[in-house]
């Protein structure tokens, strides 16, 4: 889950207008977004069924109608970035899905979905299988990849 969250947060932070924010503000926004996404997604992350909770883990940004996902608003507020709608350098609205093993986006004006991250097959397999060292009745410790 952390890899996908980091990819998503980094992508959103990279969309901030660079000439209006310091690197410190951008990094702060990225870290805040990671924190908000983790809190939102815990309990809604299913490695064995990545599409379960798919809509819940979506992030919507629609600048035309000024609809912005709560996690973006809260992260921007915590990073002291006012009016996130005007601060993102996006030409149109989009929706992002953060799912186990995959992060993808779709522009609201297009039916095409673009993957921005797909986990290598060995990571997906490792996330689905308990470690052989796991004791009975004990959950495996997730491996964090940075």
């Amino acid at each position: 889950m952390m890899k996908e969250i980091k990819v998503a947060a980094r992508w959103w932070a990279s969309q901030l207008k660079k000439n209006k924010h310091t690197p410190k503000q951008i990094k702060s926004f990225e870290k805040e977004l990671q924190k908000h996404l983790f809190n939102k997604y815990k309990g809604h992350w299913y490695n064995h069924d990545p599409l379960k909770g798919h809509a819940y883990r979506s992030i919507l940004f629609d600048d035309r109608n000024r609809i912005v996902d709560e996690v973006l608003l809260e992260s921007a507020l915590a990073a002291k970035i006012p009016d996130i709608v005007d601060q993102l350098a996006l030409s149109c609205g989009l929706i992002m899905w953060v799912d186990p093993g995959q992060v993808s986006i779709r522009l609201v004006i297009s039916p095409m979905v673009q993957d921005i991250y797909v986990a290598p097959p060995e990571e997906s397999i490792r996330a689905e299988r308990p470690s052989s060292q796991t004791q009975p009745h004990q959950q495996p410790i997730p491996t964090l990849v940075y």
Side-chain angles (χ1 to χ4, degrees):
M1 178 167 73
M2 287 309 298
K3 177 64 176 180
E4 292 87 346
I5 287 173
K6 286 181 179 190
V7 168
R10 184 165 296 133
W11 188 89
W12 284 104
S14 75
Q15 303 306 306
L16 286 171
K17 294 177 181 173
K18 304 291 187 256
N19 62 340
K20 295 197 176 214
H21 306 288
T22 66
K24 185 177 179 180
Q25 280 179 301
I26 293 170
K27 195 60 163 170
S28 176
F29 174 73
E30 183 178 336
K31 291 292 183 193
E32 289 294 329
L33 186 53
Q34 285 179 22
K35 193 169 29 174
H36 283 93
L37 290 174
F38 179 79
N39 289 333
K40 180 178 180 180
Y41 296 164
K42 66 182 174 191
H44 297 276
W45 196 262
Y46 310 96
N47 284 324
H48 298 295
D49 189 2
L51 292 180
K52 183 177 180 180
H54 178 73
Y56 181 80
R57 292 186 306 270
S58 66
I59 303 169
L60 177 64
F61 175 80
D62 182 354
D63 59 334
R64 173 174 274 163
N65 296 308
R66 297 189 71 81
I67 300 169
V68 182
D69 197 284
E70 198 68 30
V71 294
L72 295 174
L73 292 171
E74 291 170 357
S75 301
L77 186 63
K80 298 180 177 31
I81 296 175
D83 197 7
I84 191 71
V85 174
D86 294 330
Q87 304 306 315
L88 290 168
L90 298 168
S91 58
C92 66
L94 64 87
I95 188 165
M96 173 184 276
W97 293 278
V98 184
D99 296 319
Q102 184 176 16
V103 179
S104 53
I105 59 172
R106 181 180 65 79
L107 300 178
V108 295
I109 60 171
S110 170
M112 302 296 292
V113 174
Q114 177 186 354
D115 291 332
I116 58 173
Y117 170 76
V118 176
E122 62 273 5
E123 283 185 29
S124 297
I125 291 168
R126 199 175 37 219
E128 292 176 14
R129 274 195 223 145
S131 167
S132 60
Q133 299 171 346
T134 303
Q135 299 296 321
H137 309 295
Q138 182 182 19
Q139 293 292 329
I141 298 171
T143 305
L144 298 180
V145 180
Y146 296 95

